[in-house]
Amino acid sequence: GLGDVYKRQIIVKEILQIAKVQEEETLYVGDSGVDMQTAINAGVTSCGVTWGFRPRTELESFHPDHIVDNAEEIKLLCR
């Protein structure tokens, strides 16, 4: 639920702080709508993967920055 998204968002921000990494340098990869919400709310680049447990349409409904069909595509986003 929304509480989970909020907690996850706080955790992402804490990790970035500890790692001394900026939001704009960060790619959050996930396979669910909750993952996409978390990335968007944390202010990091969101990337949905289509090989997870949720359908592509769920990812699309959150308008992530990227949706990829294989891990090679993630590597290209990290350049």
Side-chain angles (χ1 to χ4, degrees):
L2 291 176
D4 289 339
V5 171
Y6 180 75
K7 286 180 208 167
R8 286 169 161 233
Q9 159 189 338
I10 297 302
I11 291 168
V12 170
K13 290 186 176 289
E14 287 175 355
I15 291 169
L16 296 181
Q17 221 174 14
I18 292 166
K20 295 180 176 34
V21 176
Q22 299 298 310
E23 285 89 348
E24 56 272 6
E25 303 177 89
T26 304
L27 180 66
Y28 188 109
V29 178
D31 67 353
S32 71
V34 170
D35 291 331
M36 299 306 98
Q37 277 184 296
T38 299
I40 292 163
N41 291 346
V44 300
T45 302
S46 54
C47 178
V49 299
T50 59
W51 61 86
F53 293 105
R54 303 289 187 183
R56 182 186 188 100
T57 53
E58 179 178 317
L59 299 172
E60 290 170 343
S61 70
F62 289 93
H63 308 287
D65 297 300
H66 307 280
I67 296 179
V68 298
D69 296 313
N70 62 64
E72 287 297 314
E73 293 179 74
I74 296 171
K75 284 173 52 177
L76 296 174
L77 295 174
C78 295
R79 292 185 176 181

